[in-house]
Amino acid sequence: MACDTIGPVNEGRRVADGTAAVPVTAATSADCGPPAYGSDFLQLDAGDAPVGGKADWLARRLRQAIADGQLAMGSRLPPTRVLAAELRVSRGVVTEAYRRLAEDGHVEGRRRGGTVVVAAPLLQPSVPCGTRPCRGPAPVVANRAVPGTLFAGEPNADVFDALRATRARIDFTPGQPDLTAFPRAAWLRAERAVLAELSAENLGYGDPRGAPQLRRAVATWLATSRGIRVEPDEVLIVAGTAQALTLLHPVLRADGIDSVAVEDPGSLGTRQHLQNGALATPPVPVDDGGVRVDALRATGARAVLLTPAHQFPTGVVTSGERRRELLLWAKDGGLIMEDDYDAEHRYDRPPVAALRSLLADRVCYMGSVSKLLAPALRIGWVVPPPRYRDALTDAKRFTDLGNAVLPQLVLARLMESGDLERHLHLLRGRHRRRRDAMINAIAEHLPGAVVHGASAGLHLTVTYASEVPDTELAAAALARGVKCQPLSWHRQMPGHPGLVLGYAATPSGAIAEGAAALGEALRELA
């Protein structure tokens, strides 16, 4: 039998087993050199490979090594030329095996960094053979969570960190804008203009409430886009809604508030932030009109956190009648915390005024540029009721003395120049096309599923009639390289299973591929 070639590879020609056709020379003929004894790397022995299936054999062995921990997260695979020489197989065999692992999400090519392992096993819930098809473990990227626990049990405080660290071919994480669309050129222009005009005084400690230029720009932005008439001195610049909630914790407790009612379903992340501040979070059901005010009154909570313009995750817009009920509740002594997280992104409906524009004394309004520009900027704002303004300013002062000034001034320039508004118009067109692609793909691959909240925002929610738990479906989707969030993560009360799917950061072709994988996973589990 002729020995495997290790000579020059003709990358343009391949045979059925993935090997490349190469000329047989004196250096590669059957009667030359010693036989292949295998590689020190994982003690691989090419003699174990079936005839005509070396690439499949090698890919399978590498997957198993990743699954059982021999190849840990961050391990670097040998260069294809080196491993091919050690195994005495063609380089095309190794290249094809690596390609298959990359498609599966097990490894990632990093140019000069080589091919690196980015996956670890995701252990499926054990199901007795005979009731469902038996399946082995499927891979996801290792993270701080123990492999296999990402979708098991109640989500921990670091579940979003773990999910972000998990690599996937297709990312349907909700709330993520298209970061490739960040207006780099406009940002650079604004930054150069700011630096050219910046005085030495601006480089010192600033106002803890935020740069006056940005507070003026935000006040104008809120007046024109959200119907909120405020003075710049009423605006407090913060590091996003997350910091706004953290600053509010002691302020609320000082006012005798130890419980903040939350929508159900409603944002798990927001609920975690409130609970981290030792605030109870009684759930209030959401229906087609928004949060049920009768149920809100029944909780006895003096404060409620709402997303009225585009409820997360259902996408419901709070109706006019429900708004009137909420305002009556607030006038009786209640506090509305309004999280206006993605109101700028709307496609098939007119704009909805913020609750803050209707009852300034009883609404604490929060917004940011995380969904409009990028979460990494960590810039947001709070417009609190007058009675909380000084306490929040003190909380901000003693937390960090205020946000970094330079990014604030750059953002103010973008707002004043109209560049931010132009960027928003660009995003709306792109997001609408991707939203349409998601709806069409769900109709094709998940027939019978119901789409919720598609008229605005960066995500939609899908519910389905099957009894398959949505955590199982999310785990099976991740095993196929598709990342999303189960609807049950965002519930405290029982409800229909579903998935929360972000589409803004995913090209249309990948959206169709991801929806197809979701359909396959649901059919297999059902």
Side-chain angles (χ1 to χ4, degrees), residues 156-450:
N156 297 324
D158 66 347
V159 69
F160 294 116
D161 298 333
L163 192 60
R164 276 191 291 270
T166 301
R167 299 298 183 104
R169 290 183 297 110
I170 299 168
D171 190 351
F172 287 158
T173 299
Q176 185 165 287
D178 184 0
L179 299 179
T180 65
F182 184 84
R184 296 170 186 256
W187 186 273
L188 282 171
R189 282 196 307 271
E191 191 166 48
R192 290 192 188 100
V194 166
L195 287 171
E197 301 170 1
L198 194 66
S199 67
E201 181 182 352
N202 288 129
L203 295 175
Y205 291 104
D207 189 326
R209 297 174 299 174
Q213 297 93 320
L214 181 57
R215 286 188 281 125
R216 285 196 300 269
V218 169
T220 301
W221 177 269
L222 294 178
T224 57
S225 65
R226 304 299 298 125
I228 301 174
R229 297 178 62 86
V230 293
E231 296 298 324
D233 284 347
E234 298 177 70
V235 177
L236 175 67
I237 302 302
V238 294
T241 302
Q243 187 183 45
L245 292 174
T246 299
L247 296 175
L248 279 164
H249 294 161
V251 175
L252 294 177
R253 288 197 300 272
D255 194 29
I257 295 174
D258 58 7
S259 177
V260 177
V262 295
E263 300 162 319
D264 197 280
S267 167
L268 168 62
T270 298
R271 191 167 79 241
Q272 289 177 333
H273 276 285
L274 292 171
Q275 292 169 347
N276 185 59
L279 294 167
T281 57
V284 182
V286 172
D287 60 21
D288 291 341
V291 69
R292 283 180 43 195
V293 182
D294 60 333
L296 170 59
R297 290 184 183 276
T299 67
R302 290 180 49 207
V304 62
L305 195 147
L306 302 176
T307 52
H310 183 240
Q311 199 275 332
F312 184 90
T314 68
V316 166
V317 178
T318 303
S319 68
E321 179 182 355
R322 203 63 61 81
R323 284 171 173 250
R324 288 188 290 273
E325 293 177 15
L326 279 168
L327 296 180
L328 288 173
W329 173 83
K331 286 179 179 178
D332 288 340
L335 171 70
I336 297 174
M337 299 163 63
E338 182 174 15
D339 182 2
D340 208 22
Y341 69 102
D342 70 353
E344 303 92 349
H345 303 283
R346 53 181 175 78
Y347 317 114
D348 303 328
R349 62 165 175 79
V352 179
L355 290 176
R356 179 59 171 71
S357 66
L358 305 175
L359 190 64
D361 289 347
R362 307 303 306 178
V363 178
C364 182
Y365 177 89
M366 299 172 287
S368 78
V369 295
S370 293
K371 309 297 187 291
L372 183 54
L373 287 173
L377 293 176
R378 308 312 306 139
I379 300 178
W381 43 82
V382 182
V383 183
R387 69 183 188 278
Y388 290 158
R389 196 176 301 149
D390 291 343
L392 275 174
T393 300
D394 287 342
K396 179 65 174 171
R397 176 184 295 110
F398 293 120
T399 296
D400 55 19
L401 295 178
N403 284 28
V405 173
L406 184 57
Q408 292 185 65
L409 298 178
V410 175
L411 178 58
R413 179 64 66 106
L414 286 179
M415 287 177 159
E416 293 165 351
S417 67
D419 279 337
L420 189 62
E421 183 69 30
R422 284 186 284 274
H423 177 64
L424 174 58
H425 285 307
L426 172 95
L427 289 181
R428 279 179 179 161
R430 179 177 297 189
H431 292 167
R432 181 185 289 110
R433 291 188 293 273
R434 293 179 177 181
R435 187 276 312 264
D436 293 344
M438 176 72 84
I439 292 173
N440 293 335
I442 289 171
E444 179 180 355
H445 299 290
L446 290 162
V450 179

Side-chain angles (χ1 to χ4, degrees), residues 72-161:
M73 171 72 169
S75 300
R76 185 178 301 177
L77 300 186
T80 55
R81 188 183 301 277
V82 171
L83 186 56
E86 290 186 358
L87 293 175
R88 289 186 174 269
V89 299
S90 76
R91 189 180 177 190
V93 167
V94 182
T95 300
E96 174 64 15
Y98 284 12
R99 184 189 68 79
R100 296 182 189 182
L101 292 174
E103 286 185 349
D104 291 346
H106 289 79
V107 301
E108 179 182 87
R110 295 183 179 173
R111 298 185 180 180
R112 293 185 180 181
T115 302
V116 178
V117 175
V118 295
L122 172 67
L123 303 178
Q124 299 272 0
S126 58
V127 180
C129 295
T131 59
R132 290 185 185 172
C134 293
R135 294 181 298 278
V140 296
V141 172
N143 47 54
R144 289 184 295 171
V146 177
T149 64
L150 189 58
F151 295 108
E154 289 297 317
N156 297 324
D158 66 347
V159 69
F160 294 116
D161 298 333

